[in-house]
Amino acid sequence: MDSDLEYQLIESEADCRECFAVMRELRPHLGDEQSFAEQVFRQGEQGYRLLALRERGWVIGLAGFRVTENFLYGRFVYVDDLVVSAAQQRRELGAGLLEAVRRHTRALGYRYLVLDTGLHMPLAQRFYFRQGMLAKGMHFFQDLEPAV
């Protein structure tokens, strides 16, 4: 039942630790709850916020986002992480999380919400198109560590 759903900005280490299992579904390389919590708060010093979606107290979805600025968009909100627990997918909870971030973006007075998704993730791309988002470009990166 949707009335059991609650959105919560994560402020405490204990609440952050409760988010670890769901974030690990999106980011399987994450090691442990303690390192995760430390990184969330380090990123928080740079404007990162973690929004949890809870149902009857349990974390079932997350949106990690930050305010940033560039010459293309001005000040905008960038979504780093968006995940709903695999057991809870197909309930349109991702759309609700994204809408919560949209509301936050509008409340700040910003015009743009931006995110990247992998080219290998056609289902995610389809989801974002259904949410009214448009592809604006491609994301490029380079690993500068020498191959071992």
Side-chain angles (χ1 to χ4, degrees), residues 93-112:
L93 300 173
L97 274 164
L98 199 55
E99 183 56 33
V101 177
R102 280 190 192 104
R103 284 192 302 270
H104 184 78
T105 302
R106 288 183 189 111
L108 292 171
Y110 301 146
R111 181 175 176 180
Y112 296 105

Side-chain angles (χ1 to χ4, degrees), residues 37-142:
E38 289 171 2
Q39 184 165 345
V40 166
F41 288 102
R42 261 195 328 274
Q43 288 179 201
E45 294 170 7
Q46 302 164 36
Y48 181 84
R49 302 301 309 268
L50 187 59
L51 177 69
L53 173 58
R54 292 180 179 269
E55 185 171 45
R56 292 185 293 279
W58 294 97
V59 175
I60 61 171
L62 296 168
F65 60 93
R66 57 193 154 101
V67 172
T68 190
E69 184 174 19
N70 65 24
F71 288 113
L72 180 59
Y73 300 112
R75 289 183 63 78
F76 64 99
V77 170
Y78 181 85
V79 177
D80 291 278
D81 313 294
L82 185 68
V83 60
V84 171
S85 174
Q88 300 298 322
Q89 291 177 0
R90 305 263 185 246
R91 291 180 54 196
E92 300 184 15
L93 300 173
L97 274 164
L98 199 55
E99 183 56 33
V101 177
R102 280 190 192 104
R103 284 192 302 270
H104 184 78
T105 302
R106 288 183 189 111
L108 292 171
Y110 301 146
R111 181 175 176 180
Y112 296 105
L113 178 67
V114 178
L115 58 81
D116 292 325
T117 192
L119 294 174
H120 65 288
M121 300 176 70
L123 294 177
Q125 293 165 24
R126 198 168 77 201
F127 167 77
Y128 294 125
F129 282 125
R130 282 195 322 266
Q131 297 306 307
M133 300 190 84
L134 301 174
K136 181 100 172 157
M138 293 177 68
H139 180 89
F140 290 89
F141 86 104
Q142 183 179 24

Side-chain angles (χ1 to χ4, degrees), residues 16-27 33 36 59 62 83 85:
C16 190
R17 286 173 175 266
E18 292 176 4
C19 297
F20 176 72
V22 173
M23 183 63 82
R24 196 162 189 200
E25 290 186 39
L26 179 64
R27 310 283 185 223
E33 288 180 6
F36 168 70
V59 175
L62 296 168
V83 60
S85 174

